[in-house]
Every structure is written in C-alpha cells, then in structure tokens.
Amino acid sequence: MKGTLKQTVNKFIFLFVVPLNILLIITNSFFMFSTYRQTKISTENMVNYFLDDIDSRLSTISFFLIKNGTEDLAFQSIAYDYVGRDYALEKIHLYQNLNSKIDLCPEIAYLFMFHSENNEMVIVPSSEYVSHGSYQAKETLCEMLRNVEKS
C-alpha cells in the first residue's frame, strides 16, 4: 500500500506539477519578451517626441533670430568688433531687447550667445529661470566655449 501511494504521488507530481512549471516558464518568457518590446517601443517614442520638440524649439529660435536680426540693429551691431563702452552698451541693449521679447518667444529663455574674441556670453534667462544653477551653467558654458579644443 505504501508503494502504491508513493507511486501515485510521484505520478501526480510528474503529470501535474512538471507541466505546470513548464507552462510557468513559457508564460514568464512570453510576458518578459512582450514587456521588453513595449518598453523598447515606449522609449523610442519618448526619444522621438523629445527630439521633435527640440527640433521645433530650435526652428522657432532660428526663425526668431533671423526675423529680429534683419529688423533690429541690436542683433547686427553686437556682431561687429566694438571695444570698450560701445560694446558694453550694445550687449546690454541686446540683453534687454531679448529679455523684453521673452513673452513672444519663450524658447529664447534658453538662448545664449558667445562672443569668441571677448570671451563673453550673453544669456537671456527670464526671472523664473534664474537660479544659482543657471549661474553655474553659464560659467560652465563660458569655460567650455573658451577652450573648445579641451571640451
């Protein structure tokens, strides 16, 4: 009787538990693969969305700069080699001009211009973007643009 009970338990384990474990492994593999595929698709869609957003912002900034560069003398005059007081006044005028137009084109809050000969940067943050981190970011960008070969 003990032998038949032991054989019955062994048959039960072999006929019921082993196929359930195999089924469990197969279903886990399927769900793991489909989760991987969905994560990959979601990541690709997210990257495409942000790249499209960056492209549209750059396009808006480019259009804004071209439009204002042809209409406003501050954009044109800052490019020339002013020395001393004239350059400083033009830089201040350019900053005030861009800062006043930040409501028209919010993307210019992230715009910066670097004058390579004077090693100076004009950055146009609105009051809501100014922080200690933005000052550090400005200094880091200036340092990188001064030493392009090292960067």
Side-chain angles (χ1 to χ4, degrees):
M1 183 87 146
K2 281 187 171 183
T4 57
L5 181 64
K6 189 174 183 180
Q7 288 174 350
T8 307
V9 169
N10 286 340
K11 283 182 186 177
F12 172 77
I13 289 173
F14 185 73
L15 293 175
F16 187 72
V17 175
V18 171
L20 279 180
N21 282 335
I22 293 172
L23 183 65
L24 182 67
I25 291 170
I26 292 171
T27 55
N28 280 344
S29 299
F30 172 75
F31 287 119
M32 191 170 57
F33 174 73
S34 62
T35 303
Y36 166 76
R37 192 169 40 112
Q38 281 301 110
T39 304
K40 182 180 173 186
I41 290 171
S42 297
T43 304
E44 286 175 357
N45 289 340
M46 184 179 67
V47 166
N48 287 335
Y49 170 77
F50 284 117
L51 286 177
D52 289 343
D53 185 47
I54 289 170
D55 285 343
S56 68
R57 286 177 188 262
L58 287 175
S59 174
T60 303
I61 289 172
S62 177
F63 177 74
F64 175 82
L65 289 176
I66 290 171
K67 181 178 179 294
N68 286 315
T70 56
E71 295 173 355
D72 192 359
L73 292 176
F75 281 89
Q76 297 169 11
S77 62
I78 197 77
Y80 297 109
D81 289 334
Y82 284 111
V83 289
R85 189 171 177 194
D86 289 339
Y87 175 75
L89 287 175
E90 291 297 329
K91 188 172 78 168
I92 291 170
H93 179 65
L94 176 66
Y95 173 79
Q96 289 172 342
N97 186 1
L98 289 173
N99 205 9
S100 68
K101 294 180 180 179
I102 215 163
D103 291 333
L104 299 174
C105 182
E107 285 83 6
I108 64 171
Y110 307 102
L111 176 68
F112 67 90
M113 296 176 190
F114 184 73
H115 196 280
S116 59
E117 291 180 16
N118 295 337
N119 285 331
E120 288 185 321
M121 179 181 290
V122 175
I123 192 165
V124 191
S126 66
S127 59
E128 62 190 58
Y129 297 107
V130 174
S131 66
H132 181 66
S134 64
Y135 174 77
Q136 288 178 335
K138 177 181 176 182
E139 291 303 313
T140 303
L141 281 173
C142 280
E143 188 61 35
M144 287 175 63
L145 291 169
R146 281 185 199 118
N147 303 319
V148 178
E149 295 84 22
K150 292 180 184 177
S151 300

